[in-house]
Amino acid sequence: MPRSGVEKKPPWKSVPQELRRRIDQALGSPVVRGTRVWGSYGPGPSYRLLLADGRRAFIKAIWPESNAFQVSAFHREIRVYRLLESQIRPWAPEFIAEVQFEDWHAILLEDLGPKTAPPWRPIDARTVAQGLAEFHLSTAGVALPGELLTVEEFRILEANFWKNKPSLDDLKGLAGISGQPKEAMAWLEDNFETLQSASNNLTDPTARHTLLHLDVRSDNLRVVNGAARFFDWPFAGIGPPELDAIIFAPSVEAEGGPDAATVLDWYSAVSQLESELLASAAAVCSGFLAGLCWQPEVPGLPRLRQWQRTLVKVLLKVSSDMLGLDRPRWAESI
């Protein structure tokens, strides 16, 4: 797979021999080639495997260098595959096995092939948007496990710039990554309360709730045989589908694909989105990134802040359009 990231990814030959033996055993055929998978924002072992019998599989793992966040996410994802198999299939890859040796712990999944995007073809963006809508419809009104996080507990709400009353220094920090800091401060001061108020509406108890993926972006999806497939499920929870839709649609625009409004229209052709909740979700997502994108770089994640800055520009525009605010022209120079 072409390299599209700079994060640390150990080569297949660095995987302990005993773990590779156990992987061969779990798959029922020896691995003849393991190709590193690039593209996600996190470091760590992930490979597409070619087996001696011609089949393929995908493996992701934690290893001695994994940090606490990666370890926690890994174990949450295993739990999701086991707890929600009937709800996330056929959108999720088939879970094949869990394999462990010493400080290495891996999950084997169906291989969904090479990346679909970017670049984004309109047909692929539409397929994913409508596949996401179909996924949401499949659990609307369905009883889901009580162990799942609900919208009130999502980190995207807890760590939110608009809701948590940032200090003047924090506002200046966000404005400072723009080429127009004075204009940015004026816009933030004028519109902060509106964004804050909108962010509070996402927890409406009367809203339709479904199973959510909560990290739908190009790194975590494929289009296979004309159908949308989603992987990386550690954040799965229960909440309004508008949140998943607004996480996905602006990311397509940020990567040079169709604009967010078009992607949301494609979603709405399958399942209607509630406009007030959608605006609230946009405010929440823009607030989440507004609190992060100006922070120092994260060790081991050299592309993360740049992606957050690219995405927050689109989300601020989308939020403003939905809430009837003047567009933040200053954000274009972030």
Side-chain angles (χ1 to χ4, degrees):
M1 185 176 188
R3 178 167 181 166
S4 58
V6 293
E7 293 75 23
K8 186 172 184 178
K9 296 276 186 178
W12 175 246
K13 65 182 179 182
S14 70
V15 176
Q17 186 174 358
E18 174 58 21
L19 183 65
R20 283 184 280 160
R21 186 192 69 78
R22 296 181 186 189
I23 290 168
D24 291 347
Q25 186 177 40
L27 292 171
S29 179
V31 175
V32 296
R33 186 171 69 245
T35 305
R36 282 178 286 188
V37 175
W38 304 96
S40 65
Y41 292 92
S46 56
Y47 312 91
R48 294 185 67 202
L49 305 178
L50 176 63
L51 311 185
D53 63 7
R55 290 181 295 129
R56 288 187 175 273
F58 175 80
I59 181 173
K60 63 186 300 185
I62 50 176
W63 62 321
E65 296 187 28
S66 297
N67 60 35
F69 177 84
Q70 293 164 333
V71 171
S72 175
F74 179 85
H75 289 291
R76 284 200 308 270
E77 184 167 18
I78 290 177
R79 183 165 163 268
V80 167
Y81 277 112
R82 295 194 183 283
L83 185 66
L84 298 171
E85 181 181 10
S86 62
Q87 287 90 356
I88 63 177
R89 294 278 291 158
W91 295 275
E94 177 188 359
F95 182 89
I96 299 172
E98 179 182 354
V99 184
Q100 190 169 7
F101 174 68
E102 294 183 345
D103 291 335
W104 287 71
H105 194 167
I107 52 175
L108 296 165
L109 302 168
E110 172 191 1
D111 177 45
L112 299 181
K115 74 173 187 176
T116 297
W120 278 102
R121 299 187 305 163
I123 190 173
D124 289 330
R126 182 178 63 192
T127 296
V128 175
Q130 296 186 341
L132 183 61
E134 291 165 356
F135 164 64
H136 291 148
L137 283 174
S138 74
T139 58
V142 174
L144 294 166
E147 302 98 307
L148 292 173
L149 292 180
T150 60
V151 62
E152 295 84 2
E153 301 169 295
F154 293 163
R155 180 171 177 263
I156 200 169
L157 271 76
E158 293 177 354
N160 195 278
F161 198 69
W162 313 134
K163 292 186 69 174
N164 292 335
K165 298 181 180 179
S167 67
L168 180 60
D169 285 344
D170 289 341
L171 289 171
K172 288 181 177 178
L174 175 59
I177 63 171
S178 165
Q180 304 173 60
K182 290 184 179 179
E183 292 83 351
M185 282 298 292
W187 188 92
L188 289 167
E189 290 169 357
D190 288 345
N191 298 298
F192 182 87
E193 289 186 2
T194 301
L195 290 161
Q196 185 181 59
S197 176
S199 297
N200 292 325
N201 295 332
L202 199 60
T203 55
D204 180 356
T206 66
R208 174 182 59 151
H209 282 190
T210 68
L211 182 61
L212 305 180
H213 180 283
L214 290 176
D215 199 18
V216 180
R217 51 188 171 87
S218 62
D219 287 356
N220 298 336
L221 62 84
R222 298 288 187 268
V223 174
V224 182
N225 297 326
R229 306 291 299 277
F230 306 108
F231 49 95
D232 280 4
W233 290 85
F235 308 115
I238 302 170
E242 285 78 7
L243 183 55
D244 253 358
I246 210 68
I247 287 172
F248 172 62
S251 75
V252 175
E253 181 175 340
E255 291 183 317
D259 62 76
T262 298
V263 177
L264 291 170
D265 284 344
W266 286 330
Y267 179 108
S268 295
V270 173
S271 179
Q272 192 62 40
L273 293 164
E274 203 283 308
S275 59
E276 185 174 342
L277 279 174
L278 195 62
S280 180
V284 164
C285 290
S286 66
F288 181 67
L289 289 178
L292 294 173
C293 65
W294 55 276
Q295 301 285 353
E297 298 291 339
V298 180
L301 303 177
R303 297 181 301 130
L304 180 61
R305 291 292 185 240
Q306 183 56 53
W307 167 242
Q308 290 172 342
R309 292 174 184 180
T310 300
L311 184 55
V312 79
K313 290 191 282 189
V314 180
L315 277 163
L316 285 168
K317 180 194 73 172
V318 170
S319 300
S320 300
D321 288 351
M322 290 182 175
L323 295 169
L325 308 177
D326 291 335
R327 281 192 174 182
R329 303 296 179 188
W330 58 272
E332 296 172 6
S333 60
I334 289 177

